[in-house]
Amino acid sequence: MLRCIIKKILQHSYVGEQGTSKGLLSAFPTALLGEHRAAVGHRSKSSLPEVRERTLIAVKPDGVHRRLVGQIIQRFEQRGFKLVGLKMLQVSEDLLSQHYIELRTKPFYPRLQQYMTSGPVVVMVWEGHKVVQTSRVMVGHTNPAEASAGTVRGDFSFHVSRNVVHASDSLEGAQREIQLWFKGRELLNWDCCDQSNTCDV
Ligand code: UDP
Ligand code: MG
């Protein structure tokens, strides 16, 4: 009976970014929870660093205007990645210039700035094994004219100036961008019930 109650509480609680327990879970002594997890064989597989890789994906203003947010999220969910952060916002010129810090001197930057601040963006953090590399493949070539069919850009756009989506291009870039766009408390650590069906690292 006690085991049953604790299991219910664990199912309805989550663990925040700093590893702090929230909700009803916080009322329980850590030792008791540790014993329970050992007893029921609970193991947070997503605590393994290679599975907990994270990347920043953003649906750009054209994607939001064209009602593509749902389809883009669906592709990442379908692939098996885990959503750990999501918000919609109007990007400021300052935030954009920090995001595209290496592109600020490019001739196309003024047009890029106008495009990216023309409406809201939906920015997300996705987690999973090799998510940075895999999401770049899923998003496709920067220039949609060269993007393969089956990629987001290859399926939804035809011009580099309106390429629908952003994806971090390296592990270091992803870390920098995630810190730029999200506060730590806006990201959630949570265990998928189907973790063993998507990954067994
Ligand atoms: N971009 C553009 N013209 C160019 C190159 C890039 O408008 O000739 C825009 C485009 O929206 C692209 C963004 O600038 O997605 C960032 O460029 P980057 O080279 O980082 O490509 P990405 O990482 O987005 O594939
Ligand atoms: Mg880039």
Side-chain angles (χ1 to χ4, degrees), residues 49-127:
E50 62 269 41
V51 183
R52 287 206 52 210
E53 184 175 307
R54 289 177 172 184
T55 197
L56 187 98
I57 303 294
V59 183
K60 296 179 176 182
D62 52 331
V64 176
H65 276 286
R66 293 172 57 200
R67 321 289 204 271
L68 297 176
V69 175
Q71 291 187 65
I72 292 168
I73 289 177
Q74 187 181 22
R75 289 179 178 223
F76 285 86
E77 285 192 326
Q78 197 170 293
R79 190 71 186 244
F81 292 125
K82 184 166 72 175
L83 185 61
V84 295
L86 172 114
K87 62 184 174 183
M88 186 181 209
L89 71 156
Q90 175 69 45
V91 185
S92 67
E93 291 182 4
D94 183 46
L95 174 60
L96 192 76
S97 70
Q98 290 178 64
H99 176 74
Y100 283 137
I101 197 155
E102 289 160 7
L103 301 181
R104 283 188 296 191
T105 54
K106 299 281 184 193
F108 60 82
Y109 188 76
R111 274 175 289 123
L112 177 60
Q113 184 185 70
Q114 192 181 25
Y115 161 45
M116 290 296 292
T117 58
S118 66
V121 301
V122 172
V123 62
M124 300 169 262
V125 178
W126 288 89
E127 182 180 290

Side-chain angles (χ1 to χ4, degrees), residues 10-21:
L10 284 170
Q11 280 169 351
H12 291 95
S13 303
Y14 67 91
V15 180
E17 170 66 7
Q18 310 305 325
T20 51
S21 303

Side-chain angles (χ1 to χ4, degrees), residues 100 103 136 166-167 169:
Y100 283 137
L103 301 181
R136 286 294 291 190
H166 166 81
D169 66 2

Side-chain angles (χ1 to χ4, degrees), residues 1 8 11 28 31 37 55 72 79 84 91 98 109 116 123 130 137 142 160 165 168 176 180 182 186 194 196 200:
M1 180 65 183
K8 278 269 178 259
Q11 280 169 351
F28 277 74
R37 284 181 172 137
T55 197
I72 292 168
R79 190 71 186 244
V84 295
V91 185
Q98 290 178 64
Y109 188 76
M116 290 296 292
V123 62
K130 292 197 185 293
V137 175
T142 302
V160 69
V165 70
S168 309
R176 187 185 75 81
L180 183 63
F182 283 89
E186 293 176 318
D194 65 350
S196 61
D200 190 23

Side-chain angles (χ1 to χ4, degrees), residues 178-198:
I178 290 167
Q179 281 175 10
L180 183 63
W181 289 80
F182 283 89
K183 296 186 175 78
R185 62 181 151 80
E186 293 176 318
L187 303 174
L188 298 184
N189 292 321
W190 59 285
D191 288 328
C192 279
C193 59
D194 65 350
Q195 184 91 18
S196 61
N197 290 327
T198 55

